[in-house]
Amino acid sequence: MKNDPLRIYRGEDYVINEQIRVHQPTLGEIADFGEQRYFSIVHMLCATPTDCKYQLHLQGIDWETISDFELFLLSAPGLRQEDTALLLGELDLSLYGSYRNQENGELCLYNPETHSIIDRSIYELLVSFLRKVHGLKRHTEKAGNEFTHKALLEEAEEEFRLQQNKEFRSTLVPLISAMLGMEGFGYNHNTVWDMKLMAFMDSVRRIPLIKNADRLLASGYSGFGIDLKKVNKQELNYFRDLD
């Protein structure tokens, strides 16, 4: 089943197969579940080896030698069902173990109780959906040489240690606060919590785009402002693809 952008925007659950259904939460559901806890799980599921350079190094693994899916094989069984519940419902990744598919020889995750398999293609569907909903981009770095490799690893270690002592700051609070005060948003403090996450994040990006286009047009047509012929036409397009 492919990711249908319109159905994702509407907020439907994404059904990958009979065992795996991915839920797109509302802002209220995230608040009830715990924002820090929620985004921690999202980032763990979507992580690339580049995101986990130092953690992999502590396990004796070079981040440049494994794939995104191989990282998922290592990390997913360590996720508790109660932590992934808002996204994955009753699916319990801790019951899965690494298994080599006898038909094609590829590694996958396998649950012996339900005979459910999570292979590379299912993983890619899951992650592409999560990245689309949360506006995440795949992060990857290649060192190129040993000196750069060491420098990137040292940088990752420093960032890891800084994050350990860093106080959590909400991502959503300033966004919700700003949107509630923004003309054209259409929601209030009581109704915003029922918004699906992707629709909200789309508004966060779309409304400022519209306002910027309005300012450019007003300036251009005033006769004293910018020359609209020199403005990128996409900047004036309310309906452009945000990606």
Side-chain angles (χ1 to χ4, degrees):
M1 181 178 178
K2 293 183 179 180
N3 289 330
D4 183 324
L6 186 59
R7 295 176 70 174
I8 294 174
Y9 183 80
R10 187 165 69 175
E12 292 184 16
D13 285 358
Y14 180 44
V15 181
I16 296 178
N17 56 36
E18 291 182 359
Q19 288 85 25
I20 303 175
R21 173 188 291 267
V22 191
H23 178 61
Q24 183 185 159
T26 64
L27 295 177
E29 287 176 322
I30 294 173
D32 291 340
F33 188 78
E35 181 186 356
Q36 181 177 14
R37 181 185 178 198
Y38 174 78
F39 281 109
S40 174
I41 294 300
V42 169
H43 287 292
M44 286 180 69
L45 290 170
C46 295
T48 67
T50 297
D51 298 321
C52 304
K53 295 187 194 78
Y54 180 63
Q55 296 92 318
L56 288 170
H57 173 71
L58 293 178
Q59 299 178 57
I61 302 171
D62 181 349
W63 93 85
E64 293 193 276
T65 65
I66 71 169
S67 67
D68 294 6
F69 181 57
E70 288 169 330
L71 174 62
F72 178 76
L73 293 176
L74 289 173
S75 61
L79 296 174
R80 301 177 303 172
Q81 186 274 331
E82 55 264 37
D83 290 328
T84 60
L86 184 53
L87 283 170
L88 302 178
E90 295 300 317
L91 183 72
D92 191 345
L93 292 174
S94 69
L95 299 179
Y96 286 74
S98 293
Y99 171 80
R100 189 170 296 279
N101 191 318
Q102 299 303 310
E103 295 182 3
N104 56 27
E106 293 185 0
L107 282 173
C108 61
L109 289 179
Y110 175 68
N111 183 336
E113 295 184 9
T114 62
H115 303 293
S116 171
I117 288 176
I118 302 177
D119 59 15
R120 187 183 300 271
S121 62
I122 291 174
Y123 157 79
E124 289 175 351
L125 290 173
L126 168 65
V127 171
S128 65
F129 175 81
L130 292 176
R131 286 177 178 155
K132 180 70 175 177
V133 168
H134 297 85
L136 300 175
K137 302 295 183 183
R138 180 176 178 270
H139 182 211
T140 181
E141 287 178 334
K142 294 295 181 183
N145 57 62
E146 187 175 343
F147 176 81
T148 305
H149 186 280
K150 183 178 179 181
L152 289 173
L153 188 58
E154 289 175 349
E155 183 182 288
E157 179 181 0
E158 181 179 358
E159 178 63 21
F160 176 81
R161 297 193 185 284
L162 285 173
Q163 290 299 324
Q164 297 306 296
N165 299 315
K166 192 174 181 180
E167 183 179 351
F168 172 72
R169 291 190 176 184
S170 171
T171 298
L172 291 176
V173 166
L175 295 179
I176 294 171
S177 176
M179 295 307 293
L180 290 177
M182 192 171 292
E183 183 182 359
F185 181 51
Y187 289 82
N188 59 43
H189 188 272
N190 292 323
T191 60
V192 69
W193 307 105
D194 293 325
M195 286 191 77
K196 290 287 187 173
L197 181 60
M198 183 177 177
F200 174 74
M201 296 304 295
D202 182 87
S203 293
V204 168
R205 299 171 65 190
R206 179 73 65 184
I207 292 177
L209 177 156
I210 292 172
K211 288 183 176 296
N212 182 62
D214 285 342
R215 282 192 293 269
L216 291 173
L217 289 168
S219 176
Y221 288 127
S222 70
F224 303 99
I226 63 172
D227 183 353
L228 290 177
K229 293 180 180 179
K230 297 180 180 179
V231 176
N232 185 329
K233 293 299 184 285
Q234 283 300 306
E235 290 190 58
L236 306 176
N237 183 5
Y238 291 0
F239 311 105
R240 74 172 188 250
D241 189 334
L242 292 174
D243 295 325

